[in-house]
Amino acid sequence: MAEQEKEAALPSKDNFSEWYNDLLMKGEIMDVRYPVKGLYVWFPFGFSIRRNVYNIIRKLLDKDHQETLFPLLIPENEFMKEAEHIKGFEDEVYWVTHGGTTPLDVKLALRPTSETAIYPMYKLWIRSHADMPLKLYQIVNTFRYETKHTRPLIRLREITSFKEAHTVHATWEDAASQVDEAIRIYTEFYRQLAVPVLASRRPDWDKFPGADYTIATDALMPDGKTLQVGTAHHLGDNFAKTFDITYENTDGEQVYAYQTCYGISERSIAAMISIHGDDKGLVLPPAIAPVQVVIIPIIFKESQDVLEACENLKVTLEEAGLRVKMDASDIRPGAKYYKWEMRGVPVRLELGPRDLKNNAAMLARRDTGEKQQVSLDTIKDEVLSLLYKIHEDLYDKAKARVQERIFECEEFDVMKEKLNQGIAKIFWCGNKECGLKLEDEIGAGILGIPTDQAEGCSGKCPVCGLDANTQVYVARTY
Ligand code: P5A
Ligand code: ZN
């Protein structure tokens, strides 16, 4: 490796934290040097990854949701209406207290999430049965004065890419089905990022402030910790009562509506790049990659033929709908490989005079490093089917890794040891004390009850030894 490249190389992914921070800069995702703690800047390359990711969630939601946009500022009196919600967020809210030098009559909260911005309007919009179900979403920035360790894309004080959906239904059961539907949408969204997620029902002490219950999706990060990458909350009629969201039922009575909300953030991107990336940099699923194919002409002297063939190849692939880059810049091929590997380009094509004579190009896969010769006659179809295969392989590999690292445990000490590698699946007696003891003694928490839990199984809670018939995931979390 040339000196210059060595200097620029990433630390090994085994040192996950350092690797991650370095990757954000060298992979041109985020600049972490912005002078406010917990706030970061999207590089244009990272922003185009973000665009591709958020187009996927938009497409999934647009089938039966509508996109909207509410104000960032929430008046204190609205924010302070729902008691549980206030308790959950009061330590995290940024307040706007002045307009210029004049103190405001009513303080304004920067939304930490938008329930209290949206629901006063829902009161005005919901009149009858016919107005439901109402399913809106917005993609906005939200602000949370996080006191835990902040990390780019993972724990932000300005969440730049908060996708929040808010739905209203006539019955509790309809709202419950919507929560399940939200989890199906998120699971499919993550499938399209080649990220396997585990869905589980959070224990009561960990549910969203103001909710009846919360179902969350978690991703397993390379260091064995889990990252909560999406949540769906059944709000019951708790907010409807607070914000007076009612409709006239068939008997002509005014009754409260039932609500749900569900959200994801740029944590989705954190999980995706962390799970697939390697020591050479980003490994992006083809659907996400801003550049899907890079073409590198191998030129020795003046070789107009090679350049022309590369141009033609680029056009052919672009006509097939692919995002293609030709790198004919002045730097050495090795340095170009390094550069595009760092940026996660799924397929690299090299074409030199000898390849051209054979009517072929050399193809290299970013995810496996495998190389093969492909004929220029069939290259379009080969690249298209390979991109599809790369996606499936990334998902299968990640899925296998998660399955390998879920450990069914009965003994406390075994569980403790396994939590260094991944997720423990244990029987839980249902007592909060046992859940909290896990946090105190081993810094791990109950994620929740898997949504695909089989009925009728039983075992012993490793914390207290009592009989239990509920299994839960336990993990160290971000
Ligand atoms: C659901 C949408 C809510 O706020 N209100 C509207 C509900 N839920 S939540 O669980 O609090 O947040 C939803 C998801 O956002 C991510 N998230 C964060 N991402 C980055 N930085 C943060 N500080 C942060 N806080 C929450 C999580 O993935 C969470 O599941
Ligand atoms: Zn117990």
Side-chain angles (χ1 to χ4, degrees), residues 89 112-115 144 146 153-157 159 162-166 208 228-231 233 261-267:
F89 282 105
T113 168
S114 303
E115 285 74 11
R144 296 184 181 183
E146 295 277 0
L153 301 177
I154 291 179
R155 180 163 284 104
L156 307 155
R157 287 187 171 172
I159 310 173
F162 195 66
K163 191 290 298 166
E164 50 178 327
H166 296 268
F208 185 66
Q228 172 182 297
V229 289
T231 35
H233 315 289
C261 64
Y262 32 102
I264 54 170
S265 74
E266 54 258 62
R267 276 189 189 178

Side-chain angles (χ1 to χ4, degrees), residues 70-71 73-82 85 111 113-127 134 136 138 164 166 168 235 238-246 259:
F70 276 74
L73 299 174
I74 305 173
E76 182 179 21
N77 51 311
E78 296 294 352
F79 190 78
M80 290 305 189
K81 274 184 180 163
E82 218 286 336
H85 194 68
R111 60 184 165 215
T113 168
S114 303
E115 285 74 11
T116 58
I118 294 176
Y119 300 169
M121 301 308 293
Y122 276 10
K123 169 187 162 63
L124 305 175
W125 294 348
I126 300 288
R127 294 265 149 252
L134 178 65
L136 303 186
Q138 61 177 3
E164 50 178 327
H166 296 268
V168 191
L235 301 178
N238 309 330
F239 283 88
K241 284 179 172 155
T242 311
F243 289 94
D244 195 31
I245 303 170
T246 64
Q259 293 176 272

Side-chain angles (χ1 to χ4, degrees), residues 91-105:
D91 291 339
E92 293 186 9
V93 177
Y94 286 89
W95 289 102
V96 176
T97 58
H98 287 72
T101 53
T102 314
L104 298 177
D105 291 340

